[in-house]
Amino acid sequence: MKNSPRILFLIGALSLLLLFAFPLWQITLFAPQYPDGITMYIWINQISGNSESVLQNINILNHYIGMKYIEPDSIPELQYFPYIVIGMVVMGIILFFVNKRQGFVAWSILLIILGILGIYDFYLWEYDYGHDLDPNAPIKIPGMIYQPPLFGQKMLLNFDAYSYPHWGSMFLGLAMVLGLAASWLKWRNIKKKKAVQPISIAILVLILFINGCSVEPQPINYGEEQCQYCQMTIVDQRYGSELVSAKGKVFKFDAIECMVNFYKTDQLAHEDIAYSLVTGFTKPGLLINAKEAYYLKTDQMPSPMGLNMAAFQNKEIAQQFQQENGGELYRWKQLNEQFDTIWQLADPQAYTKEESEE
């Protein structure tokens, strides 16, 4: 549907080529001697009739009333009108590729102006033939005007004249209508697009606002993100940990000990923590609730920062690893309450350093 205006416009421009296949206008004369009528067709580039002798018969009739002979070669419009039509078609094809609404509008208005000028020119020719009569004509009726009707029916002595558009005019009108329709559709699409843009921006802002305000855990990008506490790259998917504040801010750590150390600082009040998460040792990359996990500290299972502590999602698995590797089991509350002691036993030098820095 996006290209509908262009396609309509191109069809309109190409329909002008049918002016070379169908007459623009027809004038039919009925009289007692012509009960079936004789019809003259006016094309974009010629004048013809419904039989080969039509133009000759009309000129014979014109002779009696002093009207000029109709000689197509003496009518300049029949020579240059075809070039104007070809020019409009070529211009239409170019504007199809340019695809600008202003171009569609200008082309349509120009075609309408040319159409009006063409009808006015046709009227002037009819006026000239009907008024500029030979004073020596065999038949002279004072006050009689032989101008054929521009549109409709008119009696000319004993001739009943009918003048109406032919198929060529229909296709010319079709080109105008399609050109205007394409211009309108183009304008409407642009208007819709302008109307949609602010809405899209508002929706995008709303989505960003909602996402920004959402309080949800986020996956850890291992090998890319740094630990919030020690600033080292988080690598081992068995130890990644995470804290999420009540405002949605996420803090990521490379080991349980780093998260607990950070937890003990004043950087994030405990009541402002929405999620405390650790990774289940047997399910690398999967974050579980730190408060429901079981923690095994054993020197047989080294952790990234030296506390040698791993988390498990349930007691049975934790006890199984404890039987295999030894060590002590803790719950979240115990771990935080006894962390200083645990950490000192694991790495007294590091612990001393941390304390001295504080």
Side-chain angles (χ1 to χ4, degrees), residues 10-79:
L10 182 63
I11 293 173
L14 294 178
S15 66
L16 292 179
L17 294 175
L18 295 174
L19 300 185
F20 294 95
F22 298 96
L24 280 166
W25 217 268
Q26 64 179 12
I27 297 177
T28 303
L29 301 175
F30 292 95
Q33 63 271 38
Y34 299 109
D36 295 329
I38 54 175
T39 301
M40 181 175 66
Y41 297 117
I42 302 167
W43 298 63
I44 195 68
N45 57 349
Q46 62 175 319
I47 296 177
S48 66
N50 56 352
S51 69
E52 293 183 358
S53 59
V54 165
L55 199 56
Q56 180 182 1
N57 291 334
I58 290 177
N59 281 333
I60 291 173
L61 294 172
N62 288 348
H63 163 73
Y64 287 109
I65 59 175
M67 185 181 289
K68 297 175 183 176
Y69 285 179
I70 299 175
E71 297 175 325
D73 292 341
S74 65
I75 301 176
E77 287 86 342
L78 298 178
Q79 306 303 318

Coordinates of all heavy atoms in Angstrom, one line a residue, residues 10-79:
L10 N 1.5 6.5 -12.1 CA 2.1 5.9 -13.3 C 1.0 5.4 -14.3 O 1.1 5.7 -15.5 CB 3.1 4.7 -12.9 CG 3.8 4.1 -14.1 CD1 4.7 5.1 -14.8 CD2 4.6 2.9 -13.7
I11 N 0.0 4.8 -13.7 CA -1.1 4.4 -14.6 C -1.7 5.6 -15.3 O -2.1 5.5 -16.5 CB -2.1 3.6 -13.8 CG1 -1.5 2.2 -13.3 CG2 -3.4 3.3 -14.6 CD1 -2.4 1.5 -12.3
G12 N -1.9 6.6 -14.5 CA -2.5 7.8 -15.0 C -1.7 8.4 -16.2 O -2.2 8.8 -17.2
A13 N -0.4 8.5 -15.9 CA 0.5 9.0 -16.9 C 0.5 8.2 -18.2 O 0.5 8.7 -19.3 CB 2.0 9.1 -16.4
L14 N 0.6 6.9 -18.0 CA 0.6 6.0 -19.2 C -0.7 5.9 -20.0 O -0.7 5.6 -21.2 CB 1.0 4.6 -18.8 CG 2.5 4.4 -18.2 CD1 2.7 3.0 -17.8 CD2 3.5 4.8 -19.2
S15 N -1.8 6.2 -19.3 CA -3.1 6.2 -19.9 C -3.2 7.3 -21.0 O -4.0 7.2 -21.9 CB -4.2 6.4 -18.9 OG -4.2 7.6 -18.3
L16 N -2.3 8.3 -20.9 CA -2.3 9.3 -22.0 C -2.0 8.8 -23.3 O -2.3 9.3 -24.4 CB -1.4 10.5 -21.6 CG -1.8 11.3 -20.4 CD1 -0.7 12.4 -20.1 CD2 -3.1 12.0 -20.6
L17 N -1.2 7.7 -23.3 CA -0.8 7.0 -24.6 C -2.0 6.5 -25.4 O -2.0 6.4 -26.6 CB 0.2 5.9 -24.3 CG 1.5 6.3 -23.8 CD1 2.4 5.1 -23.4 CD2 2.3 7.2 -24.8
L18 N -3.1 6.3 -24.6 CA -4.4 5.8 -25.3 C -5.0 6.9 -26.2 O -5.9 6.6 -26.9 CB -5.3 5.3 -24.3 CG -4.8 4.0 -23.5 CD1 -5.8 3.7 -22.4 CD2 -4.7 2.9 -24.5
L19 N -4.6 8.2 -26.0 CA -5.1 9.2 -26.9 C -4.7 9.0 -28.3 O -5.3 9.6 -29.2 CB -4.6 10.6 -26.4 CG -4.9 11.0 -25.0 CD1 -4.4 12.4 -24.7 CD2 -6.4 10.9 -24.7
F20 N -3.7 8.2 -28.5 CA -3.3 7.8 -29.9 C -4.1 6.7 -30.4 O -4.0 6.3 -31.6 CB -1.8 7.5 -30.0 CG -0.9 8.7 -29.6 CD1 -0.4 8.9 -28.4 CD2 -0.6 9.6 -30.6 CE1 0.4 10.0 -28.1 CE2 0.2 10.7 -30.3 CZ 0.7 10.9 -29.1
A21 N -4.9 6.0 -29.6 CA -5.6 4.8 -30.0 C -7.1 5.1 -30.1 O -7.9 4.4 -30.7 CB -5.4 3.7 -29.0
F22 N -7.6 6.2 -29.5 CA -9.0 6.5 -29.5 C -9.2 8.0 -29.7 O -8.4 8.9 -29.3 CB -9.6 6.2 -28.1 CG -9.6 4.7 -27.8 CD1 -8.5 4.3 -27.0 CD2 -10.5 3.8 -28.3 CE1 -8.5 2.9 -26.7 CE2 -10.4 2.5 -27.9 CZ -9.4 2.0 -27.1
P23 N -10.3 8.4 -30.4 CA -10.6 9.8 -30.7 C -10.9 10.6 -29.4 O -11.4 10.0 -28.4 CB -11.8 9.8 -31.6 CG -11.9 8.4 -32.1 CD -11.3 7.5 -31.1
L24 N -10.6 11.9 -29.4 CA -11.0 12.7 -28.3 C -12.4 13.1 -28.3 O -13.1 13.2 -27.2 CB -10.1 14.0 -28.3 CG -8.7 13.8 -27.7 CD1 -7.9 15.1 -28.1 CD2 -8.7 13.6 -26.2
W25 N -12.9 13.4 -29.5 CA -14.3 14.0 -29.6 C -15.0 13.4 -30.8 O -14.3 13.0 -31.8 CB -14.2 15.5 -29.7 CG -15.3 16.2 -28.9 CD1 -16.5 16.6 -29.4 CD2 -15.3 16.6 -27.6 NE1 -17.2 17.3 -28.5 CE2 -16.5 17.3 -27.3 CE3 -14.4 16.5 -26.5 CZ2 -16.8 17.8 -26.1 CZ3 -14.7 17.0 -25.3 CH2 -15.9 17.7 -25.1
Q26 N -16.3 13.5 -30.8 CA -17.0 13.1 -32.0 C -18.2 14.1 -32.3 O -18.8 14.5 -31.3 CB -17.6 11.7 -31.9 CG -18.6 11.5 -30.8 CD -19.1 10.1 -30.7 OE1 -18.6 9.2 -31.4 NE2 -20.2 9.9 -30.0
I27 N -18.4 14.4 -33.5 CA -19.6 15.3 -33.9 C -20.3 14.5 -34.9 O -19.8 14.1 -36.0 CB -19.1 16.6 -34.5 CG1 -18.3 17.4 -33.4 CG2 -20.3 17.4 -35.0 CD1 -17.7 18.7 -33.9
T28 N -21.6 14.3 -34.7 CA -22.5 13.5 -35.6 C -23.6 14.4 -36.1 O -24.2 15.1 -35.3 CB -23.1 12.3 -34.8 OG1 -22.0 11.5 -34.3 CG2 -23.9 11.4 -35.8
L29 N -23.8 14.3 -37.4 CA -24.9 15.1 -38.1 C -25.9 14.1 -38.6 O -25.6 13.1 -39.3 CB -24.3 15.9 -39.2 CG -23.2 16.9 -38.8 CD1 -22.6 17.5 -40.1 CD2 -23.7 18.0 -37.9
F30 N -27.2 14.4 -38.3 CA -28.3 13.6 -38.8 C -29.1 14.6 -39.7 O -29.4 15.7 -39.3 CB -29.2 13.1 -37.7 CG -28.5 12.0 -36.8 CD1 -27.9 12.4 -35.7 CD2 -28.6 10.7 -37.2 CE1 -27.3 11.4 -34.9 CE2 -28.0 9.7 -36.4 CZ -27.3 10.1 -35.3
A31 N -29.6 14.0 -40.8 CA -30.4 14.8 -41.8 C -31.2 13.8 -42.6 O -30.9 12.6 -42.6 CB -29.5 15.7 -42.7
P32 N -32.2 14.3 -43.3 CA -33.0 13.4 -44.1 C -32.2 12.6 -45.1 O -32.4 11.4 -45.3 CB -34.0 14.3 -44.8 CG -34.2 15.5 -43.9 CD -32.8 15.7 -43.3
Q33 N -31.2 13.3 -45.7 CA -30.3 12.5 -46.6 C -29.3 11.6 -45.9 O -28.6 10.8 -46.5 CB -29.6 13.5 -47.6 CG -28.7 14.5 -46.9 CD -29.3 15.8 -46.5 OE1 -30.5 15.7 -46.0 NE2 -28.7 16.9 -46.7
Y34 N -29.1 11.9 -44.6 CA -28.2 11.0 -43.8 C -29.0 10.5 -42.5 O -28.7 10.9 -41.4 CB -27.0 11.8 -43.3 CG -26.1 12.3 -44.5 CD1 -26.1 13.7 -44.8 CD2 -25.4 11.5 -45.2 CE1 -25.3 14.2 -45.8 CE2 -24.6 12.0 -46.3 CZ -24.6 13.3 -46.6 OH -23.8 13.8 -47.6
P35 N -29.9 9.6 -42.8 CA -30.7 9.1 -41.6 C -29.9 8.4 -40.6 O -30.2 8.3 -39.4 CB -31.8 8.2 -42.3 CG -31.1 7.8 -43.6 CD -30.3 9.0 -44.0
D36 N -28.8 7.7 -41.1 CA -27.9 7.0 -40.1 C -26.9 7.9 -39.5 O -26.1 7.5 -38.6 CB -27.3 5.8 -40.8 CG -28.3 4.8 -41.3 OD1 -29.4 4.7 -40.6 OD2 -28.1 4.2 -42.3
G37 N -26.8 9.1 -40.0 CA -25.8 10.1 -39.4 C -24.4 9.9 -40.0 O -24.1 8.8 -40.4
I38 N -23.7 11.0 -40.1 CA -22.3 11.0 -40.4 C -21.5 11.5 -39.2 O -21.9 12.6 -38.7 CB -22.0 11.8 -41.7 CG1 -22.6 13.2 -41.6 CG2 -22.6 11.1 -42.9 CD1 -22.2 14.1 -42.8
T39 N -20.5 10.8 -38.9 CA -19.8 11.2 -37.7 C -18.3 11.5 -38.0 O -17.6 10.8 -38.7 CB -19.8 10.0 -36.6 OG1 -21.1 9.7 -36.3 CG2 -19.0 10.4 -35.4
M40 N -17.9 12.6 -37.5 CA -16.5 13.1 -37.6 C -15.8 12.9 -36.3 O -16.3 13.3 -35.2 CB -16.5 14.5 -38.0 CG -15.1 15.1 -38.2 SD -15.1 16.8 -38.8 CE -15.8 17.7 -37.5
Y41 N -14.7 12.2 -36.3 CA -13.9 12.0 -35.1 C -12.7 12.9 -35.1 O -11.9 13.0 -36.0 CB -13.4 10.5 -35.1 CG -14.5 9.5 -35.0 CD1 -14.7 8.6 -36.0 CD2 -15.4 9.5 -33.9 CE1 -15.7 7.6 -35.9 CE2 -16.4 8.5 -33.8 CZ -16.6 7.6 -34.9 OH -17.6 6.7 -34.8
I42 N -12.5 13.5 -33.9 CA -11.4 14.4 -33.7 C -10.4 13.8 -32.8 O -10.7 13.5 -31.6 CB -11.8 15.8 -33.1 CG1 -12.9 16.4 -34.1 CG2 -10.6 16.7 -32.9 CD1 -13.6 17.6 -33.5
W43 N -9.2 13.5 -33.3 CA -8.1 12.8 -32.5 C -7.1 13.8 -32.0 O -7.2 15.0 -32.3 CB -7.4 11.8 -33.4 CG -8.3 10.7 -34.0 CD1 -9.3 10.8 -34.8 CD2 -8.1 9.3 -33.7 NE1 -9.9 9.6 -35.1 CE2 -9.1 8.6 -34.5 CE3 -7.3 8.5 -33.0 CZ2 -9.3 7.3 -34.4 CZ3 -7.4 7.1 -32.9 CH2 -8.4 6.5 -33.7
I44 N -6.1 13.3 -31.3 CA -5.1 14.2 -30.8 C -4.2 14.6 -32.0 O -3.5 15.6 -31.9 CB -4.2 13.4 -29.7 CG1 -3.4 14.5 -29.0 CG2 -3.4 12.3 -30.3 CD1 -4.2 15.4 -28.1
N45 N -4.2 13.8 -33.1 CA -3.3 14.1 -34.2 C -3.9 14.0 -35.6 O -3.2 14.0 -36.6 CB -2.1 13.1 -34.1 CG -2.5 11.7 -34.2 OD1 -3.7 11.4 -34.0 ND2 -1.5 10.8 -34.4
Q46 N -5.2 13.8 -35.6 CA -5.9 13.7 -36.9 C -7.4 13.9 -36.8 O -7.9 14.0 -35.7 CB -5.6 12.3 -37.5 CG -6.2 11.2 -36.7 CD -6.1 9.8 -37.3 OE1 -6.2 9.7 -38.5 NE2 -5.8 8.8 -36.5
I47 N -8.0 14.0 -37.9 CA -9.5 14.0 -38.0 C -9.9 13.0 -39.0 O -9.5 12.8 -40.1 CB -10.0 15.4 -38.5 CG1 -9.6 16.5 -37.5 CG2 -11.5 15.4 -38.7 CD1 -10.0 17.9 -37.9
S48 N -10.9 12.1 -38.5 CA -11.4 11.0 -39.4 C -12.9 11.0 -39.3 O -13.5 11.8 -38.6 CB -10.7 9.7 -38.9 OG -11.1 9.4 -37.6
G49 N -13.5 10.0 -39.9 CA -14.9 9.8 -39.8 C -15.3 8.3 -39.7 O -14.4 7.4 -39.8
N50 N -16.6 8.1 -39.7 CA -17.1 6.7 -39.6 C -17.0 6.0 -41.0 O -17.4 4.9 -41.1 CB -18.4 6.6 -39.0 CG -19.5 7.4 -39.7 OD1 -19.1 8.2 -40.6 ND2 -20.7 7.3 -39.4
S51 N -16.7 6.8 -42.0 CA -16.4 6.2 -43.3 C -15.3 7.1 -44.0 O -15.1 8.2 -43.6 CB -17.7 6.1 -44.2 OG -18.1 7.4 -44.5
E52 N -14.8 6.6 -45.0 CA -13.7 7.3 -45.7 C -14.2 8.6 -46.3 O -13.4 9.6 -46.5 CB -13.1 6.5 -46.8 CG -12.3 5.3 -46.2 CD -11.6 4.5 -47.3 OE1 -11.8 4.9 -48.5 OE2 -11.0 3.5 -47.0
S53 N -15.5 8.7 -46.7 CA -16.0 9.9 -47.4 C -16.6 10.9 -46.5 O -17.2 11.9 -46.9 CB -17.0 9.5 -48.4 OG -18.1 8.8 -47.8
V54 N -16.6 10.7 -45.2 CA -17.2 11.6 -44.2 C -16.7 13.0 -44.3 O -17.5 14.0 -44.5 CB -17.1 11.1 -42.8 CG1 -17.4 12.2 -41.8 CG2 -18.0 9.9 -42.5
L55 N -15.4 13.2 -44.3 CA -14.8 14.5 -44.3 C -15.1 15.2 -45.6 O -15.4 16.4 -45.6 CB -13.3 14.4 -44.1 CG -12.6 15.7 -43.6 CD1 -13.2 16.2 -42.4 CD2 -11.1 15.5 -43.4
Q56 N -15.1 14.4 -46.7 CA -15.4 15.0 -48.0 C -16.9 15.5 -48.1 O -17.2 16.5 -48.5 CB -15.2 14.0 -49.1 CG -15.5 14.5 -50.5 CD -15.3 13.4 -51.6 OE1 -14.9 12.3 -51.3 NE2 -15.5 13.8 -52.8
N57 N -17.8 14.6 -47.5 CA -19.2 15.0 -47.5 C -19.5 16.2 -46.7 O -20.3 17.1 -47.0 CB -20.1 13.8 -47.0 CG -20.1 12.6 -48.0 OD1 -19.9 12.8 -49.2 ND2 -20.3 11.4 -47.5
I58 N -18.8 16.3 -45.5 CA -19.0 17.5 -44.7 C -18.5 18.7 -45.3 O -19.2 19.8 -45.3 CB -18.3 17.2 -43.3 CG1 -19.0 16.2 -42.5 CG2 -18.2 18.5 -42.5 CD1 -18.4 15.8 -41.2
N59 N -17.4 18.6 -46.0 CA -16.9 19.8 -46.7 C -17.8 20.2 -47.8 O -17.9 21.4 -48.1 CB -15.5 19.5 -47.2 CG -14.4 19.6 -46.1 OD1 -14.6 20.4 -45.2 ND2 -13.3 18.9 -46.3
I60 N -18.5 19.3 -48.5 CA -19.5 19.6 -49.6 C -20.6 20.4 -48.9 O -21.1 21.4 -49.5 CB -19.9 18.3 -50.3 CG1 -18.8 17.8 -51.1 CG2 -21.2 18.7 -51.2 CD1 -19.1 16.4 -51.7
L61 N -21.1 19.9 -47.8 CA -22.2 20.6 -47.1 C -21.7 22.0 -46.6 O -22.5 22.9 -46.7 CB -22.6 19.7 -45.9 CG -23.3 18.4 -46.2 CD1 -23.5 17.6 -44.9 CD2 -24.6 18.6 -46.9
N62 N -20.5 22.0 -46.1 CA -20.0 23.3 -45.7 C -19.9 24.3 -46.9 O -20.1 25.5 -46.7 CB -18.6 23.2 -45.1 CG -18.7 22.4 -43.7 OD1 -19.7 22.3 -43.2 ND2 -17.5 22.0 -43.3
H63 N -19.7 23.8 -48.1 CA -19.6 24.7 -49.2 C -20.9 25.5 -49.5 O -20.9 26.7 -49.8 CB -19.2 23.9 -50.5 CG -19.5 24.6 -51.8 ND1 -18.7 25.6 -52.2 CD2 -20.5 24.4 -52.7 CE1 -19.2 26.0 -53.4 NE2 -20.3 25.3 -53.7
Y64 N -22.0 24.8 -49.2 CA -23.3 25.4 -49.5 C -23.6 26.6 -48.6 O -24.3 27.5 -48.9 CB -24.4 24.4 -49.5 CG -24.4 23.5 -50.7 CD1 -24.0 22.1 -50.5 CD2 -24.8 23.9 -51.9 CE1 -24.0 21.3 -51.6 CE2 -24.7 23.0 -53.0 CZ -24.4 21.7 -52.9 OH -24.3 20.9 -53.9
I65 N -23.1 26.5 -47.4 CA -23.4 27.5 -46.4 C -22.3 28.5 -46.2 O -22.3 29.4 -45.4 CB -23.8 26.9 -45.0 CG1 -22.7 26.1 -44.5 CG2 -25.1 26.1 -45.1 CD1 -22.9 25.6 -43.1
G66 N -21.2 28.3 -47.0 CA -20.0 29.2 -46.9 C -19.1 28.9 -45.8 O -18.2 29.8 -45.5
M67 N -19.2 27.7 -45.2 CA -18.2 27.4 -44.1 C -16.9 26.9 -44.7 O -16.9 26.3 -45.8 CB -18.8 26.3 -43.2 CG -18.0 26.0 -42.0 SD -18.7 24.7 -41.0 CE -20.1 25.5 -40.3
K68 N -15.8 27.2 -44.0 CA -14.5 26.8 -44.5 C -14.4 25.3 -44.6 O -15.1 24.5 -43.9 CB -13.4 27.2 -43.5 CG -13.3 28.7 -43.4 CD -12.2 29.1 -42.3 CE -12.2 30.6 -42.1 NZ -11.2 30.9 -41.0
Y69 N -13.5 24.8 -45.5 CA -13.3 23.4 -45.6 C -12.5 23.0 -44.4 O -11.6 23.7 -43.9 CB -12.5 23.1 -46.9 CG -13.3 23.1 -48.1 CD1 -12.7 22.8 -49.4 CD2 -14.7 23.3 -48.1 CE1 -13.4 22.8 -50.5 CE2 -15.4 23.4 -49.3 CZ -14.8 23.1 -50.5 OH -15.5 23.2 -51.6
I70 N -12.8 21.8 -43.9 CA -12.0 21.2 -42.8 C -10.8 20.5 -43.4 O -10.9 19.4 -44.1 CB -12.8 20.2 -42.0 CG1 -14.0 21.0 -41.4 CG2 -12.0 19.6 -40.9 CD1 -15.0 20.1 -40.6
E71 N -9.6 21.0 -43.2 CA -8.4 20.5 -43.8 C -7.4 20.2 -42.6 O -6.8 21.1 -42.0 CB -7.7 21.5 -44.7 CG -8.6 21.7 -46.0 CD -8.0 22.8 -46.9 OE1 -7.4 23.8 -46.3 OE2 -8.2 22.7 -48.1
P72 N -7.3 18.9 -42.2 CA -6.5 18.6 -41.0 C -5.0 19.1 -41.1 O -4.5 19.5 -40.1 CB -6.5 17.0 -41.0 CG -7.8 16.7 -41.7 CD -8.0 17.7 -42.8
D73 N -4.5 19.1 -42.3 CA -3.1 19.6 -42.5 C -2.9 21.0 -42.1 O -1.8 21.5 -41.8 CB -2.6 19.3 -43.9 CG -2.5 17.8 -44.1 OD1 -2.4 17.0 -43.2 OD2 -2.4 17.4 -45.3
S74 N -4.0 21.8 -42.2 CA -3.9 23.2 -41.9 C -4.2 23.5 -40.4 O -4.2 24.7 -40.0 CB -4.9 24.0 -42.8 OG -6.3 23.6 -42.4
I75 N -4.4 22.5 -39.6 CA -4.7 22.7 -38.2 C -3.4 22.5 -37.4 O -3.0 21.3 -37.3 CB -5.8 21.8 -37.7 CG1 -7.1 22.1 -38.5 CG2 -6.1 22.0 -36.2 CD1 -8.3 21.2 -38.2
P76 N -2.7 23.5 -36.9 CA -1.4 23.3 -36.3 C -1.5 22.4 -35.0 O -0.6 21.7 -34.7 CB -0.9 24.7 -36.0 CG -2.1 25.5 -36.0 CD -3.1 24.9 -37.0
E77 N -2.6 22.5 -34.3 CA -2.7 21.8 -33.1 C -2.6 20.3 -33.3 O -2.0 19.6 -32.4 CB -4.1 22.0 -32.4 CG -4.3 23.4 -31.8 CD -4.7 24.5 -32.8 OE1 -4.6 24.2 -34.0 OE2 -5.2 25.5 -32.4
L78 N -3.0 19.8 -34.4 CA -2.9 18.4 -34.7 C -1.4 18.0 -34.9 O -1.1 16.8 -34.9 CB -3.7 18.0 -35.9 CG -5.2 18.2 -35.8 CD1 -5.9 17.8 -37.2 CD2 -5.8 17.4 -34.7
Q79 N -0.6 19.0 -35.1 CA 0.9 18.7 -35.3 C 1.6 18.7 -34.0 O 2.5 17.8 -33.8 CB 1.5 19.8 -36.3 CG 0.7 19.9 -37.6 CD 0.6 18.6 -38.4 OE1 1.6 17.9 -38.5 NE2 -0.5 18.4 -39.0

